Amino acid sequence: MKTFTLPDLGEGLQDAEVVAWHVSEGARVVADQPLVSVETQKAVVEVPAPWSGTVTVLHAKPGDIIEVGAPVADFDIEGTGEDAGAVVGTLSKESTAAASLPSRREGSAIRAVPAARKLAADRGIDLAAITGTGPDGTITRKDVEAAASQPPSEGYEPLRRVRRAMARNMARAHAEVATTNVTDEANLSGWKANEDITLRLVLATAAACKAEPALNAWYDGRREARLLHARIDLGIATNTEEGLFVPVLRDAGNRSKKDLRAGLNAMRKDVEARTIPAHELRDQTITLSNFGMIGGRHANLVVMPPQVAIVGAGRITTEPRIVEGKVAACRVMPLSLTFDHRAVTGAEAARFLMKIMKALEE
């Protein structure tokens, strides 16, 4: 028998959530046949079977979170189970129950190091309610401390998939980035009635990046060094019912309007279908959020490291403004620029925002 463990999927994450099994226990599989789909860093990844043989045990069920290096499935390389075909879909309720993680308490005492037992006794914590992270599921002192720090679980719903990744990224950004904001508004009175708002924002952001390259950059806080990018790989904040995605519009500064619109359409389609490749959700050099399509005027947006800036466009309204000495009704778009003040000066940020305004007003 061989045990297949969750491999490093190349995204720098330590775990993944099981979305669906494509085989069941007792099924015969061949190497490279789809085995299980897992979600990590907002992308669904199909993991293939590593060997040919019979699947004897599935170590998790859909919704479970497994760590890199943890058991995924056991294989009898020489077994001859019933042929399951190429893909058999998700598990039935009966199979799902059988595929649950084996309990470390069945037939044996709870495994815990002495220090963990003492700490649990001192704090009145039930070891049976703790999942151990040590070898073979052994409960460590760190596990008990983590359990003691948790608020009451009644009524709480654990974050899953996209929202779990978003929560982790936001916490990381808040801990690392020294952000500040600059805001202004663009007068869109010269626009046609059917202007493509998102496309205009993409073009304006690209123009600003070319004029003020300091915002199209990455910053490494540990080395106190920045990397200015010649190419503009623009992240487009995309809202879905499951959470926030940020697919990347590659080389946004050197593409035609028609090509950029086709790229935006394809990105939206892939995000909604959950078929966007994982590599298209990373390595943004700057991000654009057109949150005004939903609502809101100005926003204190979150800069995701190693990026140093994110542009936000608020809700367009018609308001009175003084134009050539007279009051006129003008279409106005509020603009927000959040930037990492460790790598970007206030003057650079202000010039960048002014360039966006000028490009939008042309």
Side-chain angles (χ1 to χ4, degrees):
M1 184 191 77
K2 285 189 175 183
T3 298
F4 175 54
T5 59
L6 183 67
D8 183 349
L9 299 174
E11 297 181 52
L13 299 180
Q14 300 302 310
D15 55 34
E17 181 175 341
V18 176
V19 176
W21 285 100
H22 303 304
V23 300
S24 57
E25 292 181 349
R28 283 208 61 180
V29 299
V30 295
D32 296 327
Q33 172 183 328
L35 178 68
V36 62
S37 291
V38 299
E39 184 159 24
T40 171
Q41 194 61 26
K42 305 182 182 179
V44 176
V45 180
E46 194 173 77
V47 179
W51 312 292
S52 297
T54 301
V55 178
T56 58
V57 177
L58 302 178
H59 285 285
K61 62 182 182 297
D64 283 349
I65 296 172
I66 51 179
E67 296 184 353
V68 171
V72 175
D74 291 344
F75 289 78
D76 181 356
I77 303 304
E78 312 233 341
T80 56
E82 182 179 350
D83 192 351
V87 177
V88 299
T90 57
L91 293 175
S92 64
K93 291 183 179 180
E94 294 77 14
S95 298
T96 299
S100 299
L101 285 168
S103 172
R104 54 186 168 77
R105 300 173 179 82
E106 293 178 0
S108 62
I110 296 173
R111 298 190 182 96
V113 300
R117 292 184 182 276
K118 182 178 185 306
L119 181 61
D122 291 343
R123 299 194 180 185
I125 297 174
D126 182 9
L127 287 174
I130 300 176
T131 300
T133 61
D136 298 322
T138 300
I139 298 173
T140 66
R141 180 184 177 89
K142 184 178 179 180
D143 296 329
V144 178
E145 290 175 343
S149 67
Q150 294 297 315
S153 59
E154 293 80 1
Y156 282 81
E157 177 185 346
L159 296 180
R160 296 290 188 182
R161 302 182 183 177
V162 180
R163 292 187 182 277
R164 182 167 61 99
M166 181 177 68
R168 292 179 176 182
N169 286 336
M170 294 303 104
R172 174 184 163 218
H174 180 73
E176 292 185 24
V177 182
T179 57
T180 190
N181 286 72
V182 58
T183 64
D184 214 314
E185 59 184 32
N187 188 338
L188 309 182
S189 298
W191 278 22
K192 299 176 182 178
N194 59 347
E195 285 280 3
D196 187 332
I197 298 174
T198 300
L199 180 59
R200 288 294 300 264
L201 285 166
V202 168
L203 294 170
T205 302
C209 287
K210 292 178 180 180
E212 199 62 54
L215 281 291
N216 188 48
W218 288 348
Y219 180 71
D220 186 333
R222 290 175 296 180
R223 293 189 294 175
E224 295 184 329
R226 67 175 182 170
L227 173 63
L228 301 181
H229 294 280
R231 193 174 83 168
I232 303 165
D233 288 337
L234 182 62
I236 305 294
T238 305
N239 179 66
T240 72
E241 291 184 359
E242 296 187 34
L244 181 67
F245 289 77
V246 188
V248 186
L249 191 62
R250 303 290 179 187
D251 200 16
N254 292 311
R255 295 167 64 175
S256 67
K257 294 179 181 179
K258 182 178 180 180
D259 189 33
L260 287 170
R261 172 36 66 190
L264 290 168
N265 292 342
M267 282 169 35
R268 164 58 72 174
K269 181 179 178 180
D270 288 346
V271 166
E272 291 178 347
R274 304 302 304 279
T275 58
I276 190 164
H279 67 270
E280 292 299 337
L281 292 167
R282 55 176 178 254
D283 296 336
Q284 304 91 333
T285 59
I286 188 171
T287 294
L288 168 65
S289 174
N290 187 10
F291 63 86
M293 297 178 65
I294 301 173
R297 292 183 56 79
H298 293 287
N300 183 14
L301 302 168
V302 178
V303 178
M304 280 304 305
Q307 297 171 78
V308 300
I310 179 172
V311 178
R315 177 171 52 87
I316 299 174
T317 57
T318 300
E319 300 181 9
R321 292 290 184 270
I322 304 297
V323 179
E324 297 180 353
K326 297 181 180 180
V327 177
C330 299
R331 294 183 69 200
V332 174
M333 174 188 284
L335 296 169
S336 300
L337 174 63
T338 304
F339 60 97
D340 188 343
H341 218 332
R342 296 176 301 171
V344 180
T345 69
E348 289 168 335
R351 288 194 294 266
F352 183 91
L353 189 60
M354 289 298 293
K355 183 62 180 181
I356 289 181
M357 292 169 55
K358 182 179 179 181
L360 289 172
E361 291 175 350
E362 289 176 348

